[in-house]
Amino acid sequence: MGDLPMGDLPVVLVWPILTSALLGLAAPRLVRALPPARAVRLLVAGAVTCAASTMLVLALTGWLLLAEIPVVAALGHWSAPQVDLRQPVPDVVEALAGVAWLVVIGRVSAAMVRFARSTLACRRTCAEFGGSRGDLVIIESARPEAYAVADGLTGGGRIVVSTGLLAALSPAERRVVFAHEAAHLHGRHHVWRALADVAVAANPLLTSVGEAVHYGTERWADEDTAREVGDRRLAARALARAALAASRSTPGPVMGLTGYGVSERIESLLGPPPPRRRLVTVLIGVLVAVTLAAATDADLDTDHFLDQAGRRAPSAPAPRTWPPAYTPKEPGQPTN
Protein backbone atom coordinates (compact mmCIF):
# COMPACT_ATOMS: atom_id res chain seq x y z
CA MET A 1 0.00 0.00 0.00
CA GLY A 2 2.97 2.35 0.07
CA ASP A 3 3.92 4.93 2.67
CA LEU A 4 0.33 5.98 3.28
CA PRO A 5 -1.68 2.78 2.65
CA MET A 6 -5.09 3.70 1.29
CA GLY A 7 -5.16 1.92 -2.05
CA ASP A 8 -8.22 -0.22 -1.31
CA LEU A 9 -10.22 2.51 0.42
CA PRO A 10 -12.30 3.54 -2.64
CA VAL A 11 -13.55 -0.04 -2.98
CA VAL A 12 -14.36 -0.25 0.74
CA LEU A 13 -16.21 3.06 0.59
CA VAL A 14 -18.37 1.95 -2.33
CA TRP A 15 -19.26 -1.45 -0.82
CA PRO A 16 -22.08 -0.28 1.53
CA ILE A 17 -23.69 1.54 -1.40
CA LEU A 18 -23.57 -1.59 -3.55
CA THR A 19 -25.04 -3.77 -0.82
CA SER A 20 -27.77 -1.19 -0.18
CA ALA A 21 -28.77 -1.31 -3.84
CA LEU A 22 -28.70 -5.10 -3.82
CA LEU A 23 -30.83 -5.31 -0.68
CA GLY A 24 -33.27 -2.80 -2.12
CA LEU A 25 -33.69 -4.89 -5.27
CA ALA A 26 -34.09 -8.15 -3.35
CA ALA A 27 -36.43 -6.90 -0.59
CA PRO A 28 -39.78 -7.41 -2.41
CA ARG A 29 -38.86 -11.01 -3.24
CA LEU A 30 -37.41 -11.79 0.17
CA VAL A 31 -40.49 -10.66 2.08
CA ARG A 32 -42.60 -13.03 0.00
CA ALA A 33 -40.17 -15.95 -0.07
CA LEU A 34 -39.40 -16.17 3.66
CA PRO A 35 -41.62 -16.51 6.73
CA PRO A 36 -42.80 -12.93 7.38
CA ALA A 37 -41.37 -12.61 10.90
CA ARG A 38 -37.94 -13.76 9.74
CA ALA A 39 -38.09 -11.60 6.60
CA VAL A 40 -38.92 -8.46 8.57
CA ARG A 41 -36.13 -9.05 11.08
CA LEU A 42 -33.56 -9.76 8.36
CA LEU A 43 -34.59 -6.81 6.21
CA VAL A 44 -34.55 -4.38 9.11
CA ALA A 45 -31.17 -5.67 10.33
CA GLY A 46 -29.75 -5.41 6.83
CA ALA A 47 -31.26 -1.97 6.19
CA VAL A 48 -30.04 -0.51 9.47
CA THR A 49 -26.54 -1.93 8.90
CA CYS A 50 -26.38 -0.63 5.32
CA ALA A 51 -27.70 2.78 6.36
CA ALA A 52 -25.26 3.12 9.27
CA SER A 53 -22.35 1.93 7.11
CA THR A 54 -23.26 4.38 4.36
CA MET A 55 -23.40 7.24 6.84
CA LEU A 56 -20.00 6.22 8.20
CA VAL A 57 -18.28 6.07 4.81
CA LEU A 58 -19.82 9.40 3.79
CA ALA A 59 -18.47 10.95 6.97
CA LEU A 60 -15.03 9.40 6.45
CA THR A 61 -14.86 10.55 2.84
CA GLY A 62 -15.85 14.09 3.74
CA TRP A 63 -13.38 14.05 6.63
CA LEU A 64 -10.50 13.35 4.24
CA LEU A 65 -11.17 16.70 2.56
CA LEU A 66 -11.25 18.52 5.89
CA ALA A 67 -7.98 16.82 6.83
CA GLU A 68 -6.22 18.85 4.09
CA ILE A 69 -6.98 22.14 5.89
CA PRO A 70 -3.83 23.29 7.74
CA VAL A 71 -5.69 24.22 10.92
CA VAL A 72 -7.37 20.79 11.08
CA ALA A 73 -4.07 19.08 10.28
CA ALA A 74 -2.33 20.99 13.09
CA LEU A 75 -5.01 19.92 15.57
CA GLY A 76 -4.76 16.31 14.40
CA HIS A 77 -0.94 16.33 14.31
CA TRP A 78 -0.59 15.21 10.72
CA SER A 79 0.86 16.80 7.58
CA ALA A 80 -1.69 18.58 5.37
CA PRO A 81 0.60 18.40 2.27
CA GLN A 82 1.08 14.65 2.80
CA VAL A 83 -2.69 14.13 3.06
CA ASP A 84 -3.28 16.20 -0.08
CA LEU A 85 -0.51 14.38 -1.96
CA ARG A 86 -1.73 10.86 -1.09
CA GLN A 87 -5.49 11.38 -1.27
CA PRO A 88 -7.15 8.15 -2.51
CA VAL A 89 -10.37 9.95 -3.57
CA PRO A 90 -10.75 13.10 -5.70
CA ASP A 91 -11.53 16.29 -3.79
CA VAL A 92 -14.83 16.78 -5.62
CA VAL A 93 -16.01 13.33 -4.48
CA GLU A 94 -15.00 14.13 -0.92
CA ALA A 95 -16.89 17.43 -1.05
CA LEU A 96 -20.03 15.73 -2.40
CA ALA A 97 -19.77 13.05 0.30
CA GLY A 98 -19.58 15.72 3.00
CA VAL A 99 -22.66 17.50 1.65
CA ALA A 100 -24.51 14.18 1.33
CA TRP A 101 -23.67 13.34 4.94
CA LEU A 102 -25.17 16.61 6.14
CA VAL A 103 -28.33 15.94 4.11
CA VAL A 104 -28.57 12.42 5.54
CA ILE A 105 -28.22 13.71 9.09
CA GLY A 106 -31.11 16.08 8.44
CA ARG A 107 -33.30 13.35 6.94
CA VAL A 108 -32.59 10.92 9.77
CA SER A 109 -33.31 13.57 12.39
CA ALA A 110 -36.62 14.40 10.70
CA ALA A 111 -37.60 10.71 10.57
CA MET A 112 -36.82 10.27 14.25
CA VAL A 113 -38.83 13.37 15.14
CA ARG A 114 -41.79 12.04 13.13
CA PHE A 115 -41.64 8.73 14.98
CA ALA A 116 -41.44 10.48 18.35
CA ARG A 117 -44.45 12.62 17.48
CA SER A 118 -46.49 9.66 16.25
CA THR A 119 -45.60 7.72 19.41
CA LEU A 120 -46.77 10.59 21.60
CA ALA A 121 -49.95 10.91 19.53
CA CYS A 122 -50.68 7.19 19.97
CA ARG A 123 -50.06 7.41 23.70
CA ARG A 124 -52.48 10.31 23.96
CA THR A 125 -55.03 8.29 21.99
CA CYS A 126 -54.59 5.33 24.34
CA ALA A 127 -55.04 7.63 27.33
CA GLU A 128 -58.26 8.99 25.83
CA PHE A 129 -59.59 5.47 25.32
CA GLY A 130 -58.68 4.51 28.88
CA GLY A 131 -58.33 0.93 30.08
CA SER A 132 -55.13 -1.08 30.22
CA ARG A 133 -52.65 -2.36 27.64
CA GLY A 134 -54.10 -4.77 25.09
CA ASP A 135 -57.71 -3.79 25.84
CA LEU A 136 -60.36 -3.90 23.14
CA VAL A 137 -62.04 -0.58 22.39
CA ILE A 138 -65.29 -0.59 20.41
CA ILE A 139 -66.17 2.73 18.84
CA GLU A 140 -69.59 3.74 17.57
CA SER A 141 -69.03 4.25 13.86
CA ALA A 142 -70.82 3.04 10.75
CA ARG A 143 -67.51 3.01 8.89
CA PRO A 144 -65.99 -0.50 9.11
CA GLU A 145 -62.46 -0.27 10.49
CA ALA A 146 -60.07 -2.05 12.85
CA TYR A 147 -56.61 -0.99 13.92
CA ALA A 148 -54.05 -1.25 16.72
CA VAL A 149 -52.73 1.82 18.56
CA ALA A 150 -49.36 1.16 20.19
CA ASP A 151 -48.75 2.69 23.61
CA GLY A 152 -45.01 3.37 23.48
CA LEU A 153 -42.31 0.80 22.69
CA THR A 154 -43.25 -1.95 25.15
CA GLY A 155 -45.80 -3.83 23.05
CA GLY A 156 -48.89 -2.52 24.82
CA GLY A 157 -51.70 -0.50 23.33
CA ARG A 158 -55.35 -0.65 22.37
CA ILE A 159 -57.25 -2.67 19.77
CA VAL A 160 -59.87 -0.46 18.16
CA VAL A 161 -62.80 -1.93 16.22
CA SER A 162 -65.84 -0.08 14.93
CA THR A 163 -69.42 -1.26 15.33
CA GLY A 164 -69.73 -1.06 11.56
CA LEU A 165 -67.08 -3.74 11.09
CA LEU A 166 -68.43 -5.95 13.87
CA ALA A 167 -71.84 -5.92 12.20
CA ALA A 168 -70.29 -7.09 8.92
CA LEU A 169 -68.48 -10.11 10.42
CA SER A 170 -69.45 -13.38 12.02
CA PRO A 171 -68.30 -14.19 15.58
CA ALA A 172 -65.49 -16.40 14.23
CA GLU A 173 -64.35 -13.68 11.84
CA ARG A 174 -64.39 -11.12 14.65
CA ARG A 175 -61.99 -13.35 16.56
CA VAL A 176 -59.64 -13.23 13.56
CA VAL A 177 -59.75 -9.42 13.57
CA PHE A 178 -58.98 -9.23 17.29
CA ALA A 179 -56.10 -11.73 16.97
CA HIS A 180 -54.64 -9.84 14.00
CA GLU A 181 -54.49 -6.51 15.82
CA ALA A 182 -53.20 -8.15 19.00
CA ALA A 183 -50.40 -9.70 16.91
CA HIS A 184 -49.37 -6.19 15.79
CA LEU A 185 -49.01 -5.08 19.39
CA HIS A 186 -47.33 -8.26 20.63
CA GLY A 187 -44.79 -8.20 17.79
CA ARG A 188 -44.06 -4.46 18.24
CA HIS A 189 -44.53 -4.04 14.52
CA HIS A 190 -44.58 -0.25 14.81
CA VAL A 191 -40.96 -0.37 16.03
CA TRP A 192 -39.82 -2.52 13.09
CA ARG A 193 -41.56 -0.13 10.71
CA ALA A 194 -39.95 2.88 12.37
CA LEU A 195 -36.46 1.38 12.13
CA ALA A 196 -37.02 0.68 8.43
CA ASP A 197 -38.25 4.24 7.86
CA VAL A 198 -35.16 5.70 9.56
CA ALA A 199 -32.91 3.47 7.43
CA VAL A 200 -34.69 4.66 4.28
CA ALA A 201 -34.22 8.27 5.39
CA ALA A 202 -30.49 7.60 5.72
CA ASN A 203 -30.22 5.77 2.41
CA PRO A 204 -32.87 6.22 -0.32
CA LEU A 205 -31.56 3.09 -2.07
CA LEU A 206 -33.42 1.18 0.66
CA THR A 207 -36.84 2.64 -0.21
CA SER A 208 -38.24 -0.70 -1.34
CA VAL A 209 -37.00 -2.25 1.93
CA GLY A 210 -39.24 0.14 3.87
CA GLU A 211 -42.24 -0.81 1.74
CA ALA A 212 -41.43 -4.51 2.12
CA VAL A 213 -41.19 -4.19 5.91
CA HIS A 214 -44.59 -2.49 6.13
CA TYR A 215 -46.09 -5.26 4.01
CA GLY A 216 -44.17 -7.92 5.93
CA THR A 217 -45.54 -6.81 9.29
CA GLU A 218 -49.08 -7.29 7.97
CA ARG A 219 -48.16 -10.76 6.70
CA TRP A 220 -46.50 -11.44 10.07
CA ALA A 221 -49.76 -10.59 11.84
CA ASP A 222 -51.69 -12.71 9.30
CA GLU A 223 -49.57 -15.78 9.98
CA ASP A 224 -49.72 -15.30 13.76
CA THR A 225 -53.50 -14.99 13.48
CA ALA A 226 -53.79 -18.14 11.39
CA ARG A 227 -51.86 -20.07 14.04
CA GLU A 228 -53.95 -18.53 16.81
CA VAL A 229 -57.33 -19.47 15.30
CA GLY A 230 -56.02 -22.72 13.80
CA ASP A 231 -57.67 -22.14 10.41
CA ARG A 232 -55.91 -20.40 7.53
CA ARG A 233 -59.06 -20.32 5.38
CA LEU A 234 -61.02 -18.64 8.16
CA ALA A 235 -58.29 -16.02 8.52
CA ALA A 236 -58.34 -15.40 4.75
CA ARG A 237 -62.14 -15.15 4.70
CA ALA A 238 -62.22 -12.68 7.59
CA LEU A 239 -59.58 -10.52 5.92
CA ALA A 240 -61.53 -10.56 2.66
CA ARG A 241 -64.81 -9.64 4.37
CA ALA A 242 -63.16 -6.83 6.31
CA ALA A 243 -61.49 -5.49 3.17
CA LEU A 244 -64.78 -5.48 1.27
CA ALA A 245 -66.54 -3.72 4.13
CA ALA A 246 -63.85 -1.10 4.75
CA SER A 247 -64.08 2.06 2.70
CA ARG A 248 -60.37 2.87 3.03
CA SER A 249 -57.29 1.85 4.95
CA THR A 250 -56.58 3.58 8.24
CA PRO A 251 -54.05 6.42 7.82
CA GLY A 252 -51.40 7.63 10.22
CA PRO A 253 -49.22 5.75 12.69
CA VAL A 254 -51.82 3.14 13.65
CA MET A 255 -51.69 -0.39 12.19
CA GLY A 256 -54.84 -1.19 10.23
CA LEU A 257 -56.18 -4.57 9.18
CA THR A 258 -56.86 -3.87 5.52
CA GLY A 259 -53.71 -2.04 4.46
CA TYR A 260 -50.78 -3.21 2.30
CA GLY A 261 -51.69 -5.74 -0.38
CA VAL A 262 -54.91 -7.30 0.91
CA SER A 263 -55.50 -9.48 -2.16
CA GLU A 264 -51.98 -10.90 -2.09
CA ARG A 265 -52.21 -11.53 1.66
CA ILE A 266 -55.48 -13.40 1.19
CA GLU A 267 -53.87 -15.55 -1.49
CA SER A 268 -50.94 -16.30 0.83
CA LEU A 269 -53.28 -17.37 3.64
CA LEU A 270 -55.09 -19.74 1.29
CA GLY A 271 -51.78 -21.50 0.62
CA PRO A 272 -49.30 -23.21 2.95
CA PRO A 273 -47.00 -21.19 5.25
CA PRO A 274 -43.78 -19.97 3.56
CA PRO A 275 -40.78 -22.33 3.87
CA ARG A 276 -37.89 -21.38 6.14
CA ARG A 277 -35.19 -21.26 3.42
CA ARG A 278 -32.24 -21.32 5.80
CA LEU A 279 -29.71 -20.81 2.98
CA VAL A 280 -31.28 -17.47 2.04
CA THR A 281 -31.20 -16.44 5.70
CA VAL A 282 -27.51 -17.32 5.93
CA LEU A 283 -26.70 -15.39 2.75
CA ILE A 284 -28.42 -12.27 4.03
CA GLY A 285 -26.58 -12.62 7.33
CA VAL A 286 -23.25 -12.89 5.49
CA LEU A 287 -24.09 -9.82 3.40
CA VAL A 288 -24.86 -7.82 6.53
CA ALA A 289 -21.66 -9.00 8.24
CA VAL A 290 -19.48 -8.15 5.22
CA THR A 291 -21.05 -4.69 4.96
CA LEU A 292 -20.34 -4.00 8.61
CA ALA A 293 -16.78 -5.30 8.21
CA ALA A 294 -16.22 -3.05 5.18
CA ALA A 295 -17.34 0.03 7.09
CA THR A 296 -15.13 -0.90 10.02
CA ASP A 297 -12.18 -1.48 7.71
CA ALA A 298 -12.73 1.94 6.10
CA ASP A 299 -12.64 3.54 9.54
CA LEU A 300 -9.42 1.74 10.47
CA ASP A 301 -7.79 2.54 7.11
CA THR A 302 -8.63 6.23 7.49
CA ASP A 303 -7.17 6.35 10.99
CA HIS A 304 -4.01 4.59 9.79
CA PHE A 305 -3.75 6.91 6.80
CA LEU A 306 -3.83 10.03 8.97
CA ASP A 307 -1.49 8.43 11.49
CA GLN A 308 1.05 7.74 8.76
CA ALA A 309 0.61 11.25 7.40
CA GLY A 310 1.67 12.58 10.80
CA ARG A 311 5.01 10.78 10.76
CA ARG A 312 8.07 12.44 9.27
CA ALA A 313 10.12 10.42 6.87
CA PRO A 314 13.29 9.22 8.64
CA SER A 315 16.54 10.94 7.60
CA ALA A 316 18.82 8.87 5.41
CA PRO A 317 21.78 7.36 7.35
CA ALA A 318 25.36 8.19 6.32
CA PRO A 319 26.82 5.67 3.85
CA ARG A 320 29.07 3.08 5.39
CA THR A 321 32.04 1.39 3.71
CA TRP A 322 33.63 -1.91 4.49
CA PRO A 323 36.45 -2.45 5.22
CA PRO A 324 37.14 1.01 6.71
CA ALA A 325 39.40 3.18 4.60
CA TYR A 326 43.13 3.17 5.64
CA THR A 327 44.41 6.46 7.03
CA PRO A 328 48.23 6.79 7.22
CA LYS A 329 49.63 7.71 10.66
CA GLU A 330 51.93 10.65 11.36
CA PRO A 331 55.48 9.82 12.52
CA GLY A 332 55.65 9.38 16.29
CA GLN A 333 51.87 8.78 16.57
CA PRO A 334 51.15 5.80 18.84
CA THR A 335 49.78 2.71 17.22
CA ASN A 336 46.71 1.03 18.72
Side-chain angles (χ1 to χ4, degrees):
M1 288 192 177
D3 295 334
L4 300 178
M6 292 287 280
D8 61 345
L9 184 64
V11 177
V12 175
L13 293 176
V14 171
W15 180 257
I17 298 175
L18 295 178
T19 53
S20 299
L22 179 61
L23 187 63
L25 291 174
R29 289 181 175 271
L30 288 174
V31 79
R32 290 163 176 81
L34 296 173
R38 178 176 297 184
V40 168
R41 293 186 180 108
L42 282 174
L43 288 175
V44 170
V48 169
T49 301
C50 288
S53 300
T54 303
M55 291 179 66
L56 177 60
V57 298
L58 287 176
L60 292 174
T61 307
W63 174 242
L64 288 175
L65 181 62
L66 293 178
E68 298 179 26
I69 301 176
V71 174
V72 177
L75 293 174
H77 305 289
W78 57 73
S79 169
Q82 282 291 320
V83 173
D84 183 37
L85 179 65
R86 303 283 185 164
Q87 279 286 15
V89 182
D91 287 350
V92 64
V93 175
E94 295 170 349
L96 291 174
V99 173
W101 183 80
L102 293 175
V103 172
V104 165
I105 290 297
R107 285 170 55 91
V108 169
S109 300
M112 295 179 70
V113 168
R114 285 195 299 269
F115 176 66
R117 287 177 175 175
S118 67
T119 300
L120 292 176
C122 287
R123 297 201 69 173
R124 287 193 297 267
T125 301
C126 290
E128 292 172 1
F129 284 140
S132 58
R133 53 185 296 172
D135 278 356
L136 173 64
V137 178
I138 299 177
I139 58 175
E140 292 288 340
S141 174
R143 185 174 64 191
E145 57 184 348
Y147 52 87
V149 184
D151 187 5
L153 306 178
T154 59
R158 307 294 184 273
I159 299 170
V160 182
V161 182
S162 69
T163 54
L165 182 61
L166 292 177
L169 302 177
S170 68
E173 292 166 346
R174 294 172 188 171
R175 183 188 172 199
V176 170
V177 172
F178 302 153
H180 180 96
E181 301 306 336
H184 277 314
L185 297 178
H186 179 72
R188 297 177 176 84
H189 293 169
H190 62 295
V191 177
W192 294 105
R193 292 181 180 185
L195 289 173
D197 291 342
V198 171
V200 170
N203 189 338
L205 292 173
L206 301 169
T207 299
S208 61
V209 177
E211 297 170 355
V213 168
H214 281 254
Y215 171 79
T217 53
E218 291 297 336
R219 283 283 298 120
W220 185 349
D222 290 341
E223 292 295 327
D224 285 354
T225 300
R227 284 192 296 270
E228 175 71 20
V229 302
D231 188 341
R232 297 181 66 83
R233 298 189 67 84
L234 171 62
R237 185 172 69 249
L239 178 58
R241 293 279 297 275
L244 289 174
S247 58
R248 62 184 178 88
S249 60
T250 305
V254 298
M255 295 169 284
L257 172 69
T258 57
Y260 298 103
V262 172
S263 59
E264 188 175 354
R265 288 163 51 201
I266 293 171
E267 184 178 353
S268 298
L269 283 171
L270 291 174
R276 293 184 179 274
R277 302 183 190 275
R278 290 185 175 86
L279 179 59
V280 176
T281 302
V282 171
L283 290 176
I284 297 298
V286 170
L287 180 67
V288 170
V290 171
T291 302
L292 186 60
T296 304
D297 186 55
D299 186 27
L300 294 175
D301 276 358
T302 303
D303 288 343
H304 188 59
F305 172 74
L306 295 176
D307 180 62
Q308 292 290 93
R311 298 178 184 176
R312 295 182 178 180
S315 57
R320 299 179 62 182
T321 60
W322 189 262
Y326 171 74
T327 303
K329 306 277 185 194
E330 295 293 334
Q333 182 177 359
T335 302
N336 292 337

